[in-house]
Amino acid sequence: MTTAARTPQQDRSRATRRRLLEAAVDCLAELGWNGSTVTVVAERAGVTRGAAQHHFPTREDLFTAAVEHVTVERLAAVRADADELPPPGPARTEAVVDLIVRLYTGPLFRAALHLWVAAATEQPLRERIVALENRVGRESHRAALEFLGVDESAAGVRASVQATLDLARGLGLANLLTDDAARRAGVVRQWSRMLQTALDAASAETPGQP
């Protein structure tokens, strides 16, 4: 079989895989771990259970791959919009904090949370989720540094950025049961001021920084 003949089949396979990943995240966010079986995801994706298991032999394979796939896509989309951030300064810092918080207050975070809860009692899933969260955490931290335009080696910067990510997770949890948008906006503004103060102090203490 020639490469040209294989291409449509490969494209269909990639499209099927993508539908399964996106359906898995939607199911987790809406139905939780117990309600999100491979059969349910396959039905939502419009494929057979056999096709789903061809791509993802186990349930753990499917859901960890799904959360990782969507996380990578969302971070890539955020990076694509980074050029539209304000110039360095308080406005940019607040925009970055708001951007990070929004990453943790949507369906993806809700889906990931269901995985965390399930992983607390299911050892095979736990090992996968710990590894996944470590990768996602490193990438999120790197992206935050990039958007803020700060040097992690400066005193206090690493801790300040990590605290921002931890705050975002906490706000995401608060948003699970009720719409917390109004209170969250005030927290974002106040935290942005505090973060800017910390970044300014770190810059002043670091030789060669503006």
Side-chain angles (χ1 to χ4, degrees):
M1 184 180 294
T2 66
T3 301
R6 287 198 302 267
T7 299
Q9 182 176 353
Q10 291 171 343
D11 288 344
R12 287 195 295 273
S13 178
R14 283 193 292 269
T16 296
R17 188 176 190 278
R18 185 184 185 90
R19 289 203 304 274
L20 284 165
L21 293 172
E22 292 176 349
V25 170
D26 289 344
C27 286
L28 268 180
E30 295 174 19
L31 306 174
W33 174 253
N34 290 333
S36 298
T37 64
V38 174
T39 299
V40 168
V41 172
E43 289 176 354
R44 181 168 296 206
V47 305
T48 65
R49 179 184 172 88
Q53 291 182 314
H54 170 74
H55 288 277
F56 304 100
T58 70
R59 188 185 185 198
E60 291 80 9
D61 289 335
L62 172 59
F63 288 105
T64 53
V67 170
E68 182 173 22
H69 165 77
V70 177
T71 299
V72 169
E73 286 216 330
R74 290 195 66 185
L75 283 171
V78 166
R79 277 201 165 90
D81 293 337
D83 289 342
E84 298 180 9
L85 289 169
R92 184 184 184 95
T93 298
E94 183 171 341
V96 172
V97 172
D98 182 62
L99 183 155
I100 292 169
V101 168
R102 282 189 280 115
L103 283 174
Y104 286 95
T105 52
L108 175 58
F109 178 75
R110 187 182 295 269
L113 183 62
H114 283 298
L115 276 185
W116 297 349
V117 172
T121 56
E122 299 193 21
Q123 186 60 33
L125 181 61
R126 182 177 184 174
E127 293 174 1
R128 290 170 176 263
I129 295 306
V130 168
L132 172 60
E133 285 303 313
N134 285 339
R135 291 198 301 275
V136 170
R138 287 192 298 270
E139 185 62 24
S140 299
H141 189 93
R142 189 179 302 116
L145 290 169
E146 178 185 327
F147 299 150
L148 290 167
V150 293
D151 181 0
E152 187 178 34
S153 67
V157 168
R158 179 178 179 80
S160 295
V161 170
Q162 189 57 52
T164 302
L165 294 171
D166 292 342
L167 171 74
R169 291 190 189 94
L171 291 174
L173 285 171
N175 194 58
L176 286 175
L177 297 178
T178 59
D179 183 357
D180 201 43
R183 188 184 72 88
R184 188 166 66 245
V187 172
V188 166
R189 285 192 299 272
Q190 179 60 25
W191 182 260
S192 299
R193 297 186 191 105
M194 296 167 65
L195 178 60
Q196 184 66 52
T197 298
L199 297 179
D200 288 343
S203 178
E205 294 176 6
T206 303
Q209 291 289 326

